[in-house]
Amino acid sequence: MDIQAEKISLAQMLLQTEDITILKKVKAIFYSKENDWWDELSQSQKESIEEGLVDFEKGRTIPYDEVKKQLGIF
């Protein structure tokens, strides 16, 4: 199916639905594409995430069970 046919099909479904939750979800998808959460982070938050990704790639991780123990969870 080409993109124009897909758009028409979706438009028809949107016009026919009476389910407000579907409409809200579709609207949220469009808004989420406009506002990337990454852009709203501070520079220090971005750096912290990037450091965490480097640690992960280098195998410097802590098992989830150990994290729970350290935090006193369970």
Side-chain angles (χ1 to χ4, degrees), residues 13-29:
M13 285 189 272
L14 286 171
L15 290 170
Q16 292 172 358
T17 189
E18 296 296 323
D19 188 338
I20 191 68
T21 58
I22 291 174
L23 298 174
K24 287 181 179 181
K25 287 179 181 180
V26 170
K27 190 175 185 178
I29 290 170

Side-chain angles (χ1 to χ4, degrees), residues 36-47:
D36 188 341
W37 60 270
W38 181 261
D39 297 332
E40 297 186 21
L41 297 176
S42 69
Q43 187 59 36
S44 64
Q45 289 171 318
K46 290 177 184 178
E47 289 170 3

